[in-house]
Amino acid sequence: MQKLDEIWKLMPNDVGKRIKDECVLQHEQIQEIRLRVLRPLFVKTNKNKYFLKDGENDWIVTNRHIKEAVEKLGGYSLYAFEEELKQGYLTVSGGHRVGFCGRAVLEEGRVKTLRQVSSLNIRIAGEITGCAEQWLPYLFENNGLCHTLIVSPPGCGKTTLLRDMIRCLSYGISGKESYNVGVVDERGEIAAMKDGVPQMDIGPCTDVQENCPKAEGMLSLLRSMTPDIIAVDELGKEADFIGVEELLHAGVTLISTVHGNDMGGLQKNAKMQKMLEKMENGRVLFLSKTNGIGTVEEIWDTQGNKRYERGGKPCLLRG
Amino acid sequence: MFIEGIGAILVVSATTLVGFAFAAKEKYRLKELEEIERGILLMKNQISYLGTPLAALLEQISWKTEGVAGQAFQNIAVRMEERQGDSAEEIWESTWLEVEKKSYLTAVDLEELTAFGRTLGFLEKEQQEGSIDMLLHYLQEKQERIKKRLDKNGRLYYSMGVLSGLLLVITLL
């Protein structure tokens, strides 16, 4: 059963009720809710994706719905979320991510904030306990954990897999020792912290640096918490890679996610290629949605050997 | 004669109390406006320097303010945390209208407070600070006026109470 109470609190009452009637009562797992002004309410579940109906006609989202949802999502305090609005997304209680689209207000050529929000995309955070367990053996070489990258296009379950890897390594699951894991949770999606307490199970030996830029957070954790592993979500900015470089020199194991499709695509990205070269004997997991969200397609090592292929035999698996 | 004496004492006491009540009403209103101003000033600082969301900052402010102001801030914080209203305006207005019955605030004071509530929730930091300044200006101006009025008329209310009682007693006797 999905824990969606936080989401219903943040939705206009009639929108929440409509979705509950249509999807929750049908025992579907909601993955995404999209509200667009004067267009039908869209819901994507584990079984289907559809526009909700009001009798014969589509159930139309009005300006009032968007305004009310924006106020509630921002805790009636938009001034407190200017930075998030500028980035175009906000992570709400429970780790669910809300993307905004509207009219950008520019200052000196840069986005200062968003006004007249016209579309909202609410991505429901999924916690699938145990989803990483079968892949952990591929991440070890001579009983040592390798640097690991989880790669996929958006919406394929990178963060969910990363969160469960953190949990497994923190608990010491699969007969492995327990590691001290430092997490830089820039967008609050991994641990979904509330008043300093993680809302997701990330294990007993995990320290979370919340709401902090990745590069600064990684270095801060390195100095302050002596972690065995540092986990971050969605590397992408120049500064992130500089932070990673320092981390790799410090002998801490990195587990991270990045957007991408395949090994060829990663190697075409100069920053990524440089990072892969520095990750000696690292592992790269590629995810897709082929057999549902979180399908592991391939696992490579950074020397260019394929260690696993979906449908094929696992090769070069050493513990 | 004995009964007349008791009656005279009761009449003078009653009119004196009415005089006291007139002065006290203004004093209590002043005290409430002072508490609201203190809360709103704290709110401004929290928004300007820390960017704290309304529910959290109103909760903190409610611990530092007394009377109906503290009660109102507390109720608003809880309702915002629970997302009980469609908008901040709705929560702010309904809460102040509820505490109105227990307070000495006038209809004009409440109108200013609800007008401020209409700016809550959707403004950027600078705009929110501007709307807070407008409310603070009103609160400070009202307090000045009440203080002047109390200085000028405070004793007059008491004296009027006693004297009108005496006048009534003399007339009736």
Side-chain angles (χ1 to χ4, degrees):
Chain A
M1 192 70 181
Q2 275 183 304
K3 292 182 206 161
L4 294 175
D5 293 346
E6 290 294 335
I7 286 292
W8 306 135
K9 249 168 58 173
L10 301 173
M11 289 283 201
N13 294 336
D14 46 349
V15 173
K17 187 174 180 307
R18 190 72 196 89
I19 299 172
K20 268 195 269 187
D21 290 350
E22 188 83 21
C23 310
V24 179
L25 296 180
Q26 309 287 335
H27 303 290
E28 292 180 37
Q29 301 268 314
I30 297 169
Q31 292 169 348
E32 204 173 275
I33 301 167
R34 287 177 184 266
L35 285 83
R36 300 177 175 106
V37 178
L38 298 182
R39 277 166 289 174
L41 177 63
F42 176 86
V43 177
K44 184 177 160 195
T45 69
N46 56 335
K47 293 181 184 163
N48 214 337
K49 39 174 130 173
Y50 41 84
F51 293 114
L52 295 194
K53 295 279 179 191
D54 183 13
E56 290 286 296
N57 304 315
D58 287 328
W59 201 97
I60 299 293
V61 174
T62 64
N63 253 319
R64 176 189 69 80
H65 290 126
I66 296 276
K67 188 170 179 280
E68 195 180 321
V70 170
E71 278 206 38
K72 285 185 169 178
L73 289 163
Y76 308 105
S77 317
L78 275 199
Y79 60 83
F81 299 98
E82 283 177 1
E83 195 55 37
E84 285 86 347
L85 266 183
K86 194 157 72 175
Q87 303 280 346
Y89 65 84
L90 174 69
T91 305
V92 296
S93 183
H96 313 293
R97 197 206 285 190
V98 184
F100 296 93
C101 220
R103 188 165 65 85
V105 179
L106 301 181
E107 191 175 71
E108 293 172 7
R110 293 188 167 196
V111 176
K112 187 186 169 208
T113 187
L114 271 185
R115 289 216 184 116
Q116 293 172 5
V117 174
S118 53
S119 302
L120 291 174
N121 172 21
I122 301 162
R123 281 177 58 185
I124 308 297
E127 185 181 24
I128 303 174
T129 307
C131 67
E133 285 180 26
Q134 75 175 105
W135 307 113
L136 283 181
Y138 290 93
L139 311 185
F140 283 84
E141 179 92 30
N142 300 326
N143 280 327
L145 180 67
C146 306
H147 300 298
T148 303
L149 275 186
I150 304 167
V151 186
S152 83
C156 290
K158 289 186 294 295
T159 308
T160 307
L161 185 63
L162 173 68
R163 186 187 302 119
D164 202 52
M165 277 184 186
I166 295 167
R167 182 189 67 85
C168 291
L169 294 164
S170 181
Y171 275 111
I173 283 172
S174 301
K176 307 290 181 193
E177 62 177 302
S178 161
Y179 291 89
N180 283 318
V181 187
V183 176
V184 186
D185 200 1
E186 186 175 3
R187 289 181 297 210
E189 283 186 297
I190 302 175
M193 303 291 277
K194 190 174 181 189
D195 301 328
V197 181
Q199 305 296 297
M200 305 281 192
D201 185 3
I202 49 164
C205 300
T206 307
D207 307 300
V208 182
Q209 186 82 292
E210 191 194 0
N211 201 20
C212 177
K214 282 183 272 284
E216 285 175 48
M218 285 189 281
L219 297 179
S220 160
L221 278 173
L222 193 61
R223 285 192 297 265
S224 58
M225 304 307 289
T226 54
D228 303 312
I229 302 164
I230 287 187
V232 291
D233 200 9
E234 291 187 15
L235 292 174
K237 291 182 199 159
E238 185 79 40
D240 300 342
F241 291 97
I242 296 169
V244 165
E245 208 172 318
E246 294 217 24
L247 203 71
L248 296 178
H249 289 147
V252 174
T253 307
L254 170 78
I255 303 183
S256 172
T257 67
V258 285
H259 283 130
N261 273 319
D262 51 30
M263 203 62 177
L266 280 192
Q267 284 166 339
K268 279 180 196 158
N269 182 329
K271 286 180 287 187
M272 205 68 80
Q273 171 65 14
K274 199 174 157 195
M275 186 175 80
L276 288 175
E277 281 168 14
K278 300 222 166 172
M279 287 169 66
E280 283 173 27
N281 218 4
R283 297 287 186 269
V284 188
L285 276 83
F286 291 94
L287 303 186
S288 75
K289 297 186 210 172
T290 317
N291 287 347
I293 289 175
T295 307
V296 176
E297 288 288 340
E298 292 172 348
I299 301 176
W300 290 71
D301 65 27
T302 46
Q303 276 121 20
N305 304 307
K306 195 183 278 185
R307 300 240 165 190
Y308 167 85
E309 185 175 6
R310 187 171 62 86
K313 276 187 182 171
C315 34
L316 292 169
L317 174 58
R318 294 196 296 265
Chain B
M1 190 65 190
F2 176 70
I3 293 172
E4 282 173 354
I6 290 177
I9 291 168
L10 282 176
V11 169
V12 174
S13 305
T15 54
T16 308
L17 278 176
V18 170
F20 270 105
F22 260 102
K25 201 177 161 191
E26 285 286 87
K27 273 191 178 174
Y28 289 137
R29 182 181 169 212
L30 179 64
K31 176 72 183 157
E32 283 177 5
L33 290 173
E34 279 171 359
E35 286 299 309
I36 294 170
E37 188 200 351
R38 209 150 64 82
I40 300 294
L41 267 172
L42 288 167
M43 178 193 262
K44 188 182 174 188
N45 290 339
Q46 291 264 9
I47 290 174
S48 302
Y49 301 114
L50 300 173
T52 315
L54 280 175
L57 75 85
L58 287 168
E59 173 75 21
Q60 290 170 26
I61 291 170
S62 73
W63 304 333
K64 297 172 185 168
T65 45
E66 295 170 356
V68 287
Q71 187 62 55
F73 291 140
Q74 170 77 37
N75 293 352
I76 294 166
V78 170
R79 287 177 184 183
M80 284 189 169
E81 187 60 41
E82 291 298 316
R83 308 290 198 277
Q84 284 179 8
D86 293 347
S87 63
E89 175 192 347
E90 185 191 310
I91 294 175
W92 181 269
E93 186 173 336
S94 61
T95 307
W96 281 107
L97 289 177
E98 274 169 29
V99 300
E100 179 196 9
K101 294 154 204 155
K102 298 181 225 162
S103 89
Y104 292 90
L105 298 173
T106 63
V108 182
D109 299 335
L110 283 164
E111 175 51 38
E112 284 297 326
L113 281 168
T114 50
F116 170 69
R118 287 195 277 277
T119 69
L120 276 178
F122 60 93
L123 294 180
E124 290 164 25
K125 193 182 272 184
E126 290 85 19
Q127 294 168 322
Q128 197 68 76
E129 285 166 356
S131 79
I132 290 176
D133 285 338
M134 280 174 65
L135 179 62
L136 283 173
H137 178 73
Y138 169 82
L139 291 168
Q140 284 154 0
E141 193 192 354
K142 272 290 151 197
Q143 287 174 64
E144 278 303 307
R145 283 195 193 174
I146 295 172
K147 278 177 191 164
K148 275 184 192 163
R149 205 158 51 226
L150 276 175
D151 279 345
K152 197 173 146 193
N153 300 336
R155 283 183 187 170
L156 184 71
Y157 289 137
Y158 302 138
S159 319
M160 284 285 285
V162 177
L163 290 173
S164 59
L166 288 173
L167 182 70
L168 208 60
V169 169
I170 291 163
T171 314
L172 290 173
L173 287 175

